[in-house]
Amino acid sequence: MQSTSIRNKYRHLPKQVKASLWFLICAFFEKSISIIATPIFTRIMSTSEYGQFNVLYSWLTIVTIIVSLNLCYGVYTQGLIKFSHDRRRYSATLQGLTVVLVLAWTLVYLGFRDFWNSVFSLTTTQMLAMLLMVWTSSVFNFWAGERRVALQYKSLVMVTLLVAIAKPLVGVLLVVYANDKVTARFLGLALVELVGYTGLFFVQMYRGKTFFSRYFWRHALMFNIPLAPHYLSQIVLSSADRIMIANMVNTKSAGIYSLAYSLSQIMILFNVALSQTLSPWIYQKIKDRRVADIAGVAYGALVLIAVVNLLLIAFAPEIVSIFAPRAYAKATWIVPPIAMSVFFIFAFDLFAKFEFYYERTSLIMIASVIGAVLNVALNYWLIPILGYEVAGYTTLICYVMYAAVHYWFMNRICREKLGTLPYDRKILELITLTFLAVGFLFLGGYHSVVLRYLLILITAVVGFSKRDYLMSIVNQMLRVRKPI
């Protein structure tokens, strides 16, 4: 009887609420499958092999930006709204531009492959698989971005879940029977994406019926080329530490650090889900000059992100022991600062929306480059002195600074364009300082199981007393979406 009531309530939900709910479930399920597979790979691969794979994946994120210019992100979401009257043709032309970029860079690689292989310390097979994945991931992100804006969630959920399930299954089969387990794991990802995403390219090309558009190509390139340093800097912030640890310490240490980073990045799924839900809505509010509507939703989103990250920090010792053998035990102490960084990644995104909308790409680039340079410099200076674990704290420091600079730039733009500020600084500081204080309390509790669980109990009691407020935040997140 109760299940029937739930089904009836679901049927009568507005489409935008259903879409928001399924986007969140989809993102959570996709990341959960990857995380569930982590204990398998940490046991069938050595810590060194696990470290090598994560370094290889870090190179993929860097190469993706250089080759594709990340056209499927900033400019695409903005363009889907700006060119809503010609959305299908816009999508098709950006797919076409990405194909041209990938093919051009593939020719550059093949012409000097010995040089590039030595630069990246990778094999030809790994490099070609990497270039293939640059294209397949872009194909999916173009298609998925259009689905999200149009609230067409059913097909997106189906494709996402099928690919998410296939990746670890194929990966395990290849790794178990391969001598080169690192390459086998990477080829498994490339194979699944090739099969799962190629058809989406032809779907968008068929609907848009346009490969080349001088106007759309020029708009995309002029918008995203200045952003390339920004995207690269973001990757440096998130990936350079693993590459530097592998080179400055060893791949085993990189493997331990990578596990901590991977577990902390579980919470990125909440960032992504909320950002994908809020982005079109925030852009629309900016366009309508109704930025006062944004603050309440943004504060609620920050509280929600803080809560889920504190849960991870609180139970990090247990989570690490579940996901990896004792050889990875040191990862426990690295989880808290990286998890705290996730909060500031989300905060930065809220501030940068205004920079993206008003196309102030130079400001975005400046903030990102400052953060990346600081991260590399701190790691280079501190890792030899304090050990590889310090990279987690340098990451946190850099993301705090990163968010602060974007906040300052956002206020500068809003004063100029809107004559008002979207957020109250005191409220942002209260949320942030409370989050950091509780996070470091949990970290201090790692020395004593009794103390840590006492802190968890106190936090749970406070959370239960505020359950109505927390539920109102969730409901607020679901209500913001509407077809655009």
Side-chain angles (χ1 to χ4, degrees):
M1 193 75 178
Q2 188 176 2
S3 61
T4 303
S5 175
I6 293 173
R7 283 198 299 270
N8 288 334
K9 288 181 179 178
Y10 174 78
R11 290 194 189 99
H12 290 91
L13 286 175
K15 186 177 180 182
Q16 59 266 31
V17 176
K18 288 182 181 179
S20 297
L21 179 64
W22 277 107
F23 291 152
L24 180 60
I25 292 172
C26 185
F28 184 82
F29 193 78
E30 180 184 20
K31 194 69 176 179
S32 296
I33 292 173
S34 174
I35 295 302
I36 289 169
T38 298
I40 300 173
F41 288 110
T42 55
R43 286 167 172 82
I44 62 176
M45 301 172 74
S46 67
T47 52
S48 180
E49 288 170 334
Y50 189 73
Q52 289 176 44
F53 169 74
N54 278 278
V55 169
L56 175 56
Y57 203 84
S58 296
W59 278 125
L60 170 63
T61 57
I62 293 172
V63 170
T64 296
I65 295 167
I66 296 171
V67 173
S68 72
L69 297 175
N70 264 13
L71 293 175
C72 54
Y73 291 112
V75 68
Y76 186 58
T77 304
Q78 187 243 32
L80 287 173
I81 296 169
K82 186 171 184 176
F83 307 117
S84 57
H85 61 285
D86 204 7
R87 188 175 290 164
R88 288 186 173 183
R89 198 165 70 91
Y90 175 71
S91 297
T93 57
L94 260 64
Q95 287 274 18
L97 176 56
T98 303
V99 168
V100 170
L101 291 173
V102 172
L103 289 177
W105 277 104
T106 301
L107 292 174
V108 170
Y109 166 70
L110 291 174
F112 307 93
R113 65 179 182 178
D114 291 336
F115 168 75
W116 293 115
N117 288 350
S118 64
V119 168
F120 293 102
S121 297
L122 301 177
T123 66
T124 299
T125 301
Q126 291 170 341
M127 288 295 295
L128 289 175
M130 189 179 294
L131 288 165
L132 175 64
M133 289 178 67
V134 170
W135 177 69
T136 54
S137 62
S138 296
V139 165
F140 173 74
N141 286 320
F142 280 128
W143 178 80
E146 189 179 28
R147 299 299 93 189
R148 290 190 185 98
V149 170
L151 301 182
Q152 297 174 349
Y153 58 89
K154 292 181 180 179
S155 57
L156 175 58
V157 170
M158 183 179 68
V159 172
T160 301
L161 297 188
L162 286 175
V163 171
I165 292 170
K167 281 183 176 180
L169 290 178
V170 174
V172 168
L173 288 174
L174 292 178
V175 169
V176 167
Y177 292 104
N179 292 323
D180 184 351
K181 297 184 183 300
V182 176
T183 301
R185 176 79 176 98
F186 201 65
L187 285 176
L189 297 176
L191 178 62
V192 172
E193 288 195 3
L194 180 64
V195 174
Y197 296 155
T198 301
L200 306 178
F201 170 79
F202 293 104
V203 167
Q204 283 198 303
M205 294 305 297
Y206 175 76
R207 288 175 176 172
K209 295 181 173 59
T210 309
F211 185 89
F212 170 77
S213 165
R214 182 178 179 181
Y215 177 73
F216 287 146
W217 281 27
R218 185 178 184 278
H219 172 266
L221 291 173
M222 293 297 289
F223 189 100
N224 261 43
I225 286 176
L227 281 174
H230 157 69
Y231 289 128
L232 280 171
S233 299
Q234 281 192 308
I235 296 305
V236 168
L237 272 170
S238 63
S239 303
D241 41 14
R242 280 164 283 180
I243 296 172
M244 293 181 75
I245 290 170
N247 288 316
M248 297 174 69
V249 187
N250 52 53
T251 54
K252 179 180 178 181
S253 297
I256 295 171
Y257 184 87
S258 294
L259 176 70
Y261 202 95
S262 297
L263 293 178
S264 301
Q265 294 298 290
I266 296 172
M267 296 307 153
I268 284 288
L269 72 93
F270 289 98
N271 284 18
V272 172
L274 282 180
S275 179
Q276 290 171 347
T277 298
L278 295 176
S279 288
W281 180 81
I282 291 176
Y283 283 134
Q284 193 66 47
K285 290 296 181 182
I286 298 172
K287 182 179 181 180
D288 296 339
R289 302 180 68 85
R290 295 177 58 188
V291 294
D293 297 347
I294 299 173
V297 174
Y299 300 148
L302 284 169
V303 170
L304 190 59
I305 293 297
V307 169
V308 296
N309 279 284
L310 287 174
L311 285 173
L312 174 63
I313 295 169
F315 294 101
E318 290 79 8
I319 293 171
V320 170
S321 65
I322 290 170
F323 280 91
R326 289 185 62 83
Y328 291 84
K330 285 186 178 181
T332 300
W333 299 90
I334 307 171
V335 169
I338 302 177
M340 291 181 201
S341 302
V342 173
F343 173 86
F344 291 97
I345 293 171
F346 185 78
F348 135 74
D349 187 62
L350 287 176
F351 307 150
K353 288 286 189 290
F354 293 84
E355 297 165 80
F356 276 110
Y357 182 82
Y358 289 108
E359 301 187 10
R360 302 294 288 272
T361 52
S362 60
L363 297 180
I364 298 171
M365 179 192 68
I366 291 168
S368 302
V369 170
I370 290 172
V373 171
L374 180 63
N375 182 255
V376 172
L378 287 175
N379 282 336
Y380 186 79
W381 174 40
L382 293 175
I383 288 176
I385 300 172
L386 301 175
Y388 69 89
E389 296 91 344
V390 77
Y393 294 90
T394 62
T395 297
L396 174 59
I397 291 169
C398 291
Y399 274 119
V400 171
M401 186 281 306
Y402 190 47
V405 173
H406 278 290
Y407 174 76
W408 184 72
F409 283 155
M410 175 197 69
N411 285 346
R412 176 178 160 184
I413 292 169
C414 289
R415 287 192 185 97
E416 175 188 330
K417 298 291 185 179
L418 302 169
T420 185
L421 301 181
Y423 306 119
D424 187 315
R425 179 174 59 84
K426 291 182 179 179
I427 295 177
L428 291 176
E429 288 176 350
L430 177 63
I431 295 171
T432 301
L433 293 175
T434 302
F435 166 68
L436 289 173
V438 176
F440 280 112
L441 274 176
F442 281 132
L443 175 59
Y446 287 178
H447 292 288
S448 169
V449 175
V450 175
L451 175 60
R452 182 162 56 89
Y453 273 88
L454 178 61
L455 290 170
I456 291 171
L457 178 62
I458 294 171
T459 306
V461 170
V462 173
F464 183 76
S465 67
K466 299 291 184 180
R467 63 189 182 280
D468 291 338
Y469 171 66
L470 294 174
M471 285 305 300
S472 70
I473 289 174
V474 175
N475 291 330
Q476 206 172 20
M477 298 302 102
L478 292 174
R479 285 197 297 267
V480 300
R481 287 299 304 272
K482 63 181 181 178
I484 295 174

